[in-house]
């Protein structure tokens, strides 16, 4: 009598689910990725040749700054920070920061800095880094605000005319020390519309791709284990 094959036919729904990911995930992941990859080509953030080097949500304390009223404690908000670079490491032409939030689609601010603009900031704030290291400094400060929100604070002050300023502040226990300030401006309405359209199309494409994947998985389960499909449909 020959030896038994190493392949085991699933006898229960649990056995099937253990083998399931190998059956359809490898088939679907590449198609899902290809369905989404084309969106990078129409991302307005990348216009002009920019490339993304940082994209994370960071806790910001949002404040509205007025001329006569004293500053008050702001509201804490998760702000999506995207840092983009134009040029390569040996020939960096510009750095761009984009701020947005899921709670307000029309909240969109940008900071664009080239070498000449950085030199002004460098002199005003006594920075000890070069333009090539500017992005690394920003990334380090943003990550500190995420990892140690009680010691590193990002305060965002907005003015009614569309100007804004991001202050990175460190809590030294006995005093607050301002480490770096970055000026921002509210994006023009047309730019905001482009980004809202892109975000809408991204979500729409992702939902469509997931629905297609669900349909194919449904067909696989229907062929391999019809009773499991009925069980899943009853519980949904």
């Amino acid at each position: 009598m020959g030896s038994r094959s190493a392949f085991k036919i699933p006898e229960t729904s649990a056995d099937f689910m253990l083998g399931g990911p190998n059956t359809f995930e490898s088939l679907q992941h590449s198609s899902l990725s290809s369905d989404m990859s084309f969106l990078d080509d129409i991302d307005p953030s990348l216009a002009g040749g920019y490339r993304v080097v940082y994209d994370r949500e960071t806790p910001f304390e949002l404040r509205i700054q007025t001329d006569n009223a004293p500053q008050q404690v702001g509201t804490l908000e998760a702000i999506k920070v995207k840092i983009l670079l134009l040029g390569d490491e040996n020939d960096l032409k510009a750095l761009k920061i984009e701020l947005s939030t899921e709670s307000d689609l029309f909240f969109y601010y940008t900071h664009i800095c080239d070498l000449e603009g950085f030199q002004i900031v460098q002199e005003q704030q006594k920075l000890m880094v070069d333009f090539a290291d500017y992005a690394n400094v920003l990334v380090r400060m943003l990550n500190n605000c995420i990892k140690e929100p009680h010691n590193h604070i990002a305060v965002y002050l907005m003015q009614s005319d569309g100007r804004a300023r991001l202050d990175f502040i460190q809590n030294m226990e006995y005093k607050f020390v301002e480490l770096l300030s970055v000026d921002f401006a509210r994006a023009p309405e047309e730019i905001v519309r482009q980004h809202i359209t892109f975000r809408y199309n991204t979500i729409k494409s992702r939902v469509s791709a997931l629905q297609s994947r669900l349909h194919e998985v449904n067909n696989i389960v229907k062929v391999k284990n019809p009773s499991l499909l009925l069980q899943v449909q009853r519980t949904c």
Side-chain angles (χ1 to χ4, degrees):
M1 183 176 179
S3 61
R4 295 182 61 184
S5 170
F7 179 78
K8 178 177 180 292
I9 299 176
E11 297 176 354
T12 66
S13 59
D15 289 333
F16 179 81
M17 293 306 292
L18 286 173
N22 291 331
T23 304
F24 58 79
E25 280 196 2
S26 59
L27 296 175
Q28 307 304 323
H29 180 71
S30 59
S31 62
L32 183 61
S33 300
S34 61
D35 288 338
M36 301 300 299
S37 61
F38 80 96
L39 289 170
D40 290 339
D41 298 332
I42 59 174
D43 185 351
S45 297
L46 306 180
Y50 280 93
R51 55 188 172 88
V52 179
V53 296
Y54 186 86
D55 189 351
R56 292 188 71 180
E57 283 192 340
T58 306
F60 277 25
E61 183 181 316
L62 302 183
R63 298 181 185 177
I64 298 177
Q65 190 176 36
T66 56
D67 295 332
N68 300 324
Q71 288 189 12
Q72 299 179 352
V73 176
T75 58
L76 197 63
E77 186 81 35
I79 301 298
K80 183 178 181 180
V81 183
K82 186 184 290 186
I83 300 178
L84 306 98
L85 299 180
L86 180 63
D88 54 35
E89 296 179 356
N90 299 322
D91 185 23
L92 182 61
K93 293 180 172 58
L95 175 145
K96 178 169 63 171
I97 308 175
E98 297 178 344
L99 304 180
S100 61
T101 175
E102 292 299 326
S103 63
D104 182 0
L105 292 178
F106 293 90
F107 180 99
Y108 207 87
Y109 287 80
T110 59
H111 163 81
I112 300 177
C113 183
D114 57 12
L115 177 58
E116 183 178 352
F118 175 78
Q119 289 174 341
I120 296 175
V121 175
Q122 185 183 42
E123 182 178 351
Q124 291 175 342
Q125 302 191 38
K126 310 300 181 185
L127 300 182
M128 304 296 292
V129 296
D130 296 327
F131 184 45
D133 295 322
Y134 187 31
N136 293 329
V137 171
L138 291 167
V139 168
R140 191 180 308 118
M141 290 188 175
L142 290 165
N143 286 338
N144 286 338
C145 292
I146 296 172
K147 297 175 183 177
E148 303 177 63
H150 297 294
N151 296 327
H152 295 270
I153 307 166
V155 178
Y156 195 66
L157 299 98
M158 297 171 288
Q159 300 183 20
S160 58
D161 61 1
R163 292 180 298 165
R165 189 180 77 241
L166 174 60
D167 294 333
F168 290 101
I169 299 173
Q170 184 174 0
N171 183 358
M172 304 293 291
E173 295 185 0
Y174 54 90
K175 68 179 297 186
F176 289 98
V177 178
E178 185 176 299
L179 302 177
L180 177 67
S181 292
V182 183
D183 291 327
F184 283 82
R186 188 166 52 215
E189 184 176 346
E190 178 59 30
I191 299 297
V192 175
R193 287 180 179 177
Q194 291 177 12
H195 283 274
I196 292 176
T197 301
F198 172 74
R199 291 161 75 178
Y200 172 82
N201 289 334
T202 299
I203 295 174
K204 184 178 179 181
S205 297
R206 184 177 291 115
V207 170
S208 177
L210 289 174
Q211 287 177 337
S212 176
R213 177 176 180 178
L214 178 62
H215 178 71
E216 294 184 26
V217 171
N218 183 82
N219 290 337
I220 293 174
V221 177
K222 184 177 181 180
V223 172
K224 290 182 175 286
N225 198 326
S227 61
L228 174 59
L229 179 60
L230 293 175
Q231 180 183 346
V232 171
Q233 290 175 340
R234 283 197 298 267
T235 57
C236 292

